[in-house]
PDB file of all heavy atoms in Angstrom:
ATOM      1  N   GLU B  15       3.357  -5.346  36.229  1.00 97.00           N
ATOM      2  CA  GLU B  15       2.185  -5.814  36.946  1.00 97.00           C
ATOM      3  C   GLU B  15       2.075  -5.096  38.296  1.00 97.00           C
ATOM      4  O   GLU B  15       3.072  -4.936  39.007  1.00 97.00           O
ATOM      5  CB  GLU B  15       2.268  -7.332  37.158  1.00 97.00           C
ATOM      6  CG  GLU B  15       1.035  -7.941  37.770  1.00 97.00           C
ATOM      7  CD  GLU B  15       1.108  -9.465  37.827  1.00 97.00           C
ATOM      8  OE1 GLU B  15       2.097 -10.041  37.324  1.00 97.00           O
ATOM      9  OE2 GLU B  15       0.169 -10.084  38.375  1.00 97.00           O
ATOM     10  N   GLY B  16       0.851  -4.650  38.610  1.00 97.00           N
ATOM     11  CA  GLY B  16       0.621  -3.943  39.858  1.00 97.00           C
ATOM     12  C   GLY B  16       0.750  -2.439  39.765  1.00 97.00           C
ATOM     13  O   GLY B  16       0.340  -1.726  40.686  1.00 97.00           O
ATOM     14  N   ARG B  60     -11.058  -1.205  39.343  1.00 97.00           N
ATOM     15  CA  ARG B  60      -9.678  -0.724  39.173  1.00 97.00           C
ATOM     16  C   ARG B  60      -9.556   0.402  38.136  1.00 97.00           C
ATOM     17  O   ARG B  60      -8.467   0.908  37.892  1.00 97.00           O
ATOM     18  CB  ARG B  60      -8.794  -1.893  38.753  1.00 97.00           C
ATOM     19  CG  ARG B  60      -8.678  -3.006  39.798  1.00 97.00           C
ATOM     20  CD  ARG B  60      -7.685  -4.081  39.385  1.00 97.00           C
ATOM     21  NE  ARG B  60      -8.110  -4.814  38.189  1.00 97.00           N
ATOM     22  CZ  ARG B  60      -7.524  -4.715  37.002  1.00 97.00           C
ATOM     23  NH1 ARG B  60      -6.493  -3.888  36.821  1.00 97.00           N
ATOM     24  NH2 ARG B  60      -7.956  -5.436  35.976  1.00 97.00           N
ATOM     25  N   ARG B  77      -5.590   0.927  37.735  1.00 98.00           N
ATOM     26  CA  ARG B  77      -4.798   0.669  38.930  1.00 98.00           C
ATOM     27  C   ARG B  77      -4.537  -0.824  39.058  1.00 98.00           C
ATOM     28  O   ARG B  77      -5.297  -1.654  38.564  1.00 98.00           O
ATOM     29  CB  ARG B  77      -5.527   1.176  40.177  1.00 98.00           C
ATOM     30  CG  ARG B  77      -5.653   2.691  40.246  1.00 98.00           C
ATOM     31  CD  ARG B  77      -6.297   3.096  41.578  1.00 98.00           C
ATOM     32  NE  ARG B  77      -7.602   2.464  41.736  1.00 98.00           N
ATOM     33  CZ  ARG B  77      -8.698   2.898  41.157  1.00 98.00           C
ATOM     34  NH1 ARG B  77      -8.661   3.952  40.368  1.00 98.00           N
ATOM     35  NH2 ARG B  77      -9.838   2.277  41.349  1.00 98.00           N
ATOM     36  N   ASP B  78      -3.429  -1.149  39.764  1.00 98.00           N
ATOM     37  CA  ASP B  78      -3.078  -2.555  39.992  1.00 98.00           C
ATOM     38  C   ASP B  78      -3.165  -3.347  38.676  1.00 98.00           C
ATOM     39  O   ASP B  78      -3.881  -4.360  38.575  1.00 98.00           O
ATOM     40  CB  ASP B  78      -4.012  -3.164  41.048  1.00 98.00           C
ATOM     41  CG  ASP B  78      -3.589  -4.557  41.478  1.00 98.00           C
ATOM     42  OD1 ASP B  78      -2.389  -4.894  41.327  1.00 98.00           O
ATOM     43  OD2 ASP B  78      -4.469  -5.317  41.935  1.00 98.00           O
ATOM     44  N   SER B  79      -2.465  -2.879  37.669  1.00 97.00           N
ATOM     45  CA  SER B  79      -2.540  -3.480  36.330  1.00 97.00           C
ATOM     46  C   SER B  79      -2.222  -4.974  36.380  1.00 97.00           C
ATOM     47  O   SER B  79      -1.294  -5.412  37.070  1.00 97.00           O
ATOM     48  CB  SER B  79      -1.566  -2.772  35.391  1.00 97.00           C
ATOM     49  OG  SER B  79      -1.958  -1.436  35.187  1.00 97.00           O
ATOM     50  N   GLN B  80      -3.008  -5.730  35.611  1.00 97.00           N
ATOM     51  CA  GLN B  80      -2.844  -7.172  35.526  1.00 97.00           C
ATOM     52  C   GLN B  80      -2.487  -7.556  34.089  1.00 97.00           C
ATOM     53  O   GLN B  80      -2.856  -6.854  33.143  1.00 97.00           O
ATOM     54  CB  GLN B  80      -4.137  -7.866  35.937  1.00 97.00           C
ATOM     55  CG  GLN B  80      -4.604  -7.540  37.347  1.00 97.00           C
ATOM     56  CD  GLN B  80      -3.606  -8.024  38.387  1.00 97.00           C
ATOM     57  OE1 GLN B  80      -3.198  -9.191  38.371  1.00 97.00           O
ATOM     58  NE2 GLN B  80      -3.205  -7.126  39.276  1.00 97.00           N
ATOM     59  N   PRO B  81      -1.813  -8.700  33.903  1.00 96.00           N
ATOM     60  CA  PRO B  81      -1.514  -9.134  32.528  1.00 96.00           C
ATOM     61  C   PRO B  81      -2.762  -9.206  31.656  1.00 96.00           C
ATOM     62  O   PRO B  81      -2.683  -8.968  30.444  1.00 96.00           O
ATOM     63  CB  PRO B  81      -0.883 -10.511  32.732  1.00 96.00           C
ATOM     64  CG  PRO B  81      -0.235 -10.412  34.072  1.00 96.00           C
ATOM     65  CD  PRO B  81      -1.159  -9.558  34.908  1.00 96.00           C
ATOM     66  N   SER B  82      -3.922  -9.497  32.238  1.00 96.00           N
ATOM     67  CA  SER B  82      -5.169  -9.565  31.464  1.00 96.00           C
ATOM     68  C   SER B  82      -5.637  -8.192  30.978  1.00 96.00           C
ATOM     69  O   SER B  82      -6.555  -8.108  30.151  1.00 96.00           O
ATOM     70  CB  SER B  82      -6.282 -10.204  32.302  1.00 96.00           C
ATOM     71  OG  SER B  82      -6.514  -9.448  33.475  1.00 96.00           O
ATOM     72  N   ASP B  83      -5.008  -7.123  31.488  1.00 97.00           N
ATOM     73  CA  ASP B  83      -5.332  -5.770  31.010  1.00 97.00           C
ATOM     74  C   ASP B  83      -4.595  -5.443  29.713  1.00 97.00           C
ATOM     75  O   ASP B  83      -4.829  -4.391  29.113  1.00 97.00           O
ATOM     76  CB  ASP B  83      -4.967  -4.721  32.067  1.00 97.00           C
ATOM     77  CG  ASP B  83      -5.790  -4.839  33.338  1.00 97.00           C
ATOM     78  OD1 ASP B  83      -6.979  -5.229  33.242  1.00 97.00           O
ATOM     79  OD2 ASP B  83      -5.244  -4.567  34.425  1.00 97.00           O
ATOM     80  N   SER B  84      -3.701  -6.305  29.295  1.00 97.00           N
ATOM     81  CA  SER B  84      -2.949  -6.077  28.055  1.00 97.00           C
ATOM     82  C   SER B  84      -3.909  -6.095  26.873  1.00 97.00           C
ATOM     83  O   SER B  84      -4.535  -7.124  26.569  1.00 97.00           O
ATOM     84  CB  SER B  84      -1.862  -7.151  27.878  1.00 97.00           C
ATOM     85  OG  SER B  84      -0.930  -7.093  28.932  1.00 97.00           O
ATOM     86  N   VAL B 110       1.084  -5.247  29.962  1.00 97.00           N
ATOM     87  CA  VAL B 110       1.392  -5.362  31.378  1.00 97.00           C
ATOM     88  C   VAL B 110       2.389  -6.501  31.543  1.00 97.00           C
ATOM     89  O   VAL B 110       2.094  -7.663  31.218  1.00 97.00           O
ATOM     90  CB  VAL B 110       0.125  -5.621  32.214  1.00 97.00           C
ATOM     91  CG1 VAL B 110       0.484  -5.735  33.690  1.00 97.00           C
ATOM     92  CG2 VAL B 110      -0.889  -4.511  31.985  1.00 97.00           C
TER      93      VAL B 110
END
Side-chain angles (χ1 to χ4, degrees):
Chain B
E15 186 174 356
R60 296 185 295 110
R77 292 184 302 281
D78 188 23
S79 294
Q80 301 296 309
S82 60
D83 295 327
S84 298
V110 180

